[in-house]
Amino acid sequence: MPTDSTRPRDHLRVIVIGAGMSGVLAGIKLKEAGVDFAILEKADRLGGTWRENTYPGIACDVPSHFYSYSFALNPEWTRQFSPGVEIQAYFEGVAERFGVAEKIQYGKEVKRAAFEQGRWRLEMSDGSRDVGDFVIAATGVLHQPNYPDIAGLEEFEGAAFHSARWDHDVEMSSKRVAVIGTGSSAIQIVSALVDQVEKIELFQRTAQWVIPVANNVFTDEEMAEFRRNPDAMLAIRNDIARTYIDGFANVLVDAKNPVIQGIHAACEANLENSVKDPVLKEKLRPTYQAACKRLIMSNDFYAAIQNLNAEVVTEGIERAEKTGLRTKDGKLHELDVIVMATGFRVDQFVRPMTVIGRGGLALDDVWREGPFAYMAISVPEFPNFFMLQGPNGPVGNFSLIEVAELQVGYISGMLEKIRSGECREIAPSQAAMDRFDAERKEAAKSTIWATGCKSWYLDATGLPTAWPFTFDRFQEEMTAPRLEDYDLG
Ligand code: NAP
């Protein structure tokens, strides 16, 4: 005879926070499992990163047939690396097709989520409330823009905006444009804008290694074949996945892996062969190992930056003035537009939302010295609260869709334990958290990211925060949870 605490739960409500790629995926899987759920989205449209980043040239540098849900392959991708608008349309189409679009509540920014009397109680910025038994936080990684602290920026009379807040009302043609930063966003922007604008100045604090990658257009015949034979897409997807795992993801976690030398050599050869002017070549030459920072994949950046109207500025920015940016050498760079392609605040994750666990414990306090999560997914004392793309997950030149699918599979298993009545609360034990974190920190020291460059992979102490083990291990951990590491209450 089942006791009260082991009886299957007749009603269980799951709340998913965020309707980006991960939140939509969670919704699809919850719907398939017949679970009652809601997706709360702060904006007025789904899509996450792809809704927010609309800058010229935006594309995903993970091949499209790999950057697709495994169960919703898309024969309509136009290119090997498709542009942002296609990706946004893809997520909207899938959400519609799988019946989760109607489960998304827009304009619902969760301000506070607290675990009280065994349930999660949520408060939204519009004053509304909701209650759920289980929370899946799908709030993204690179979400809160990082604004550079430039003195006098408010005095600048032109337009100034972050790459993730592109102002489409600003006409770019015949303008003098500054792009600050040399990350993936900046490189795509420069390549896309160079032919439109009068002048483009790239303010580079750190040079980047660039690996050339062709972006082939799929022919009508290829697309027709994909429509006729989905297995052709699946074969491509599986091929790419294996290449990325063996040739990249598994390699980066061992700085001594000889494959990294090959990547470095390919980047050096690209710089050598693509940039003619020796002065520019040296400006663009990084002083660290390739792949230490996130590798830039581009076939057109070096050509773009050698255009007559393009310039690399390596002098630091002193301040902004009415008419432009003054660099530390005293030179005024006259400008109409300043684009801050300066990345994101990567220490935020679910924040600024306030999350309160057992006994009034605040996640902000737990994460005072930086965010962390057991297996990148959950935190002790925060029962029935699971994150997608949470801290210490595998990020960097890999399909985050693959990551999310594995994580959703893991979380579904945890949810099932509650649904079946095996337990009412589930959270990792402190001992498991401490063991995982110690092992993670030790492994992080021998990754490529720890070889002496500055990047968003590093925490405040300079230690890489990303998953420092192989991707194969991530797959294993996600498919076979270590239940002994959880407290089932
Ligand atoms: P990012 O890689 O963090 O690059 C930010 C850039 O801004 C860096 O060059 C940084 O210089 C510079 N910067 C930051 N603060 C500055 C300041 N105060 N003064 C001068 N320069 C400053 O950001 P991102 O380019 O937006 O890319 C972030 C991540 O998003 C990527 O790594 C990638 O994971 C993802 N992304 C992917 C794609 C894609 O195709 N899949 C496209 C875009 C972005 P330092 O290097 O000196 O720190």
Side-chain angles (χ1 to χ4, degrees):
M1 197 60 188
T3 64
D4 244 13
S5 62
T6 60
R7 187 169 290 135
R9 302 279 290 269
D10 47 8
H11 188 83
L12 190 76
R13 180 169 158 78
V14 178
I15 297 181
V16 179
I17 306 175
M21 171 276 288
S22 300
V24 167
L25 169 69
I28 292 170
K29 295 297 165 190
L30 289 166
K31 191 175 165 92
E32 277 172 12
V35 176
D36 176 28
F37 72 99
I39 303 179
L40 306 181
E41 167 56 55
K42 69 177 174 173
D44 58 1
R45 201 175 168 195
L46 63 83
T49 291
W50 303 104
R51 176 196 64 228
E52 309 246 314
N53 287 271
T54 58
Y55 59 75
I58 185 162
C60 184
D61 61 9
V62 174
S64 300
H65 284 294
F66 188 31
Y67 194 77
S68 310
Y69 297 121
S70 60
F71 53 87
L73 300 181
N74 177 22
E76 310 307 327
W77 293 125
T78 57
R79 293 177 158 266
Q80 198 169 351
F81 301 94
S82 299
V85 281
E86 270 186 47
I87 300 170
Q88 172 69 19
Y90 168 76
F91 287 123
E92 289 179 331
V94 171
E96 203 62 57
R97 182 147 58 95
F98 285 81
V100 299
E102 69 214 36
K103 303 289 285 185
I104 303 172
Q105 299 175 27
Y106 292 103
K108 296 286 176 194
E109 183 177 6
V110 182
K111 300 300 278 182
R112 187 175 192 274
F115 190 71
E116 290 161 356
Q117 289 110 41
R119 301 193 82 194
W120 281 98
R121 288 156 212 279
L122 276 64
E123 293 170 20
M124 272 59 85
S125 55
D126 65 357
S128 59
R129 289 163 187 265
D130 206 337
V131 181
D133 302 282
F134 199 98
V135 168
I136 300 177
T139 47
V141 194
L142 301 168
H143 187 61
Q144 316 282 352
N146 170 47
Y147 286 94
D149 188 11
I150 300 175
L153 193 57
E154 64 292 344
E155 288 166 25
F156 179 59
E157 289 179 343
F161 46 83
H162 189 273
S163 55
R165 299 283 180 276
W166 197 269
D167 185 345
H168 290 276
D169 291 337
V170 176
E171 174 57 54
M172 301 300 281
S173 60
S174 315
K175 293 281 162 56
R176 297 161 301 171
V177 179
V179 175
I180 304 174
T182 52
S184 309
S185 304
I187 298 310
Q188 290 179 338
I189 293 167
V190 168
S191 306
L193 279 187
V194 73
D195 289 331
Q196 292 175 36
V197 298
E198 182 187 316
K199 182 175 92 170
I200 195 156
E201 292 187 87
L202 178 64
F203 287 75
Q204 168 184 289
R205 191 163 68 179
T206 312
Q208 287 272 17
W209 286 115
V210 179
I211 196 147
V213 181
N215 188 6
N216 298 327
V217 172
F218 289 116
T219 61
D220 290 346
E221 292 73 34
E222 283 172 315
M223 287 166 76
E225 173 61 13
F226 293 149
R227 280 180 215 116
R228 204 168 33 240
N229 175 18
D231 284 350
M233 284 184 285
L234 192 60
I236 292 182
R237 188 179 199 282
N238 292 341
D239 260 12
I240 302 170
R242 213 51 254 172
T243 307
Y244 267 64
I245 291 172
D246 294 340
F248 209 65
N250 287 352
V251 163
L252 301 185
V253 295
D254 172 15
K256 294 200 180 77
N257 192 308
V259 174
I260 295 179
Q261 303 312 321
I263 295 171
H264 190 88
C267 292
E268 262 185 334
N270 188 29
L271 177 64
E272 215 55 53
N273 301 333
S274 311
V275 180
K276 292 193 185 68
D277 173 21
V279 176
L280 179 61
K281 189 181 286 185
E282 290 322 302
K283 272 189 181 177
L284 293 172
R285 189 186 300 281
T287 53
Y288 53 86
Q289 179 96 35
C292 180
K293 283 163 103 69
R294 190 179 190 273
L295 206 54
I296 306 290
M297 307 198 182
S298 175
N299 242 14
D300 43 17
F301 170 64
Y302 284 151
I305 205 67
Q306 292 176 89
N307 243 32
L308 288 176
N309 65 342
E311 195 186 327
V312 177
V313 179
T314 51
E315 199 65 41
I317 297 167
E318 177 71 35
R319 57 175 291 114
E321 299 182 4
K322 270 186 183 180
T323 56
L325 289 170
R326 194 173 291 279
T327 40
K328 292 205 159 91
D329 56 0
K331 182 174 173 189
L332 177 67
H333 300 253
E334 294 201 59
L335 298 161
D336 304 302
V337 182
I338 298 174
V339 176
M340 292 168 274
T342 43
F344 299 87
R345 293 196 55 194
V346 288
D347 58 345
Q348 293 300 291
F349 291 96
V350 300
R351 299 177 286 184
M353 177 170 77
T354 299
V355 184
I356 308 289
R358 280 192 189 117
L361 184 65
L363 191 60
D364 253 344
D365 288 333
V366 176
W367 282 357
R368 196 160 291 283
E369 284 171 18
F372 57 84
Y374 169 77
M375 293 293 166
I377 210 155
S378 56
V379 181
E381 302 305 331
F382 291 80
N384 308 352
F385 182 91
F386 286 82
M387 290 174 282
L388 295 172
Q389 318 294 352
N392 314 130
V395 286
N397 301 92
F398 198 77
S399 172
L400 288 189
I401 297 189
E402 181 88 353
V403 171
E405 287 194 19
L406 288 161
Q407 290 178 325
V408 167
Y410 183 104
I411 294 170
S412 301
M414 297 298 166
L415 181 62
E416 200 43 46
K417 302 217 161 294
I418 294 175
R419 237 185 12 152
S420 66
E422 199 177 317
C423 61
R424 298 186 78 84
E425 295 181 14
I426 187 160
S429 69
Q430 191 60 51
M433 180 73 250
D434 294 345
R435 193 200 65 236
F436 174 77
D437 220 34
E439 198 193 345
R440 169 186 75 77
K441 286 180 173 161
E442 194 49 40
K445 292 177 194 161
S446 39
T447 63
I448 186 67
W449 311 304
T451 54
C453 67
K454 216 177 116 234
S455 77
W456 63 262
Y457 292 138
L458 307 181
D459 66 14
T461 70
L463 197 69
T465 57
W467 182 260
F469 314 111
T470 62
F471 196 80
D472 290 326
R473 171 155 173 200
F474 182 72
Q475 280 178 316
E476 278 162 35
E477 297 283 6
M478 290 298 103
T479 39
R482 303 175 190 224
L483 291 175
E484 67 278 15
D485 283 356
Y486 280 88
D487 290 331
L488 309 183

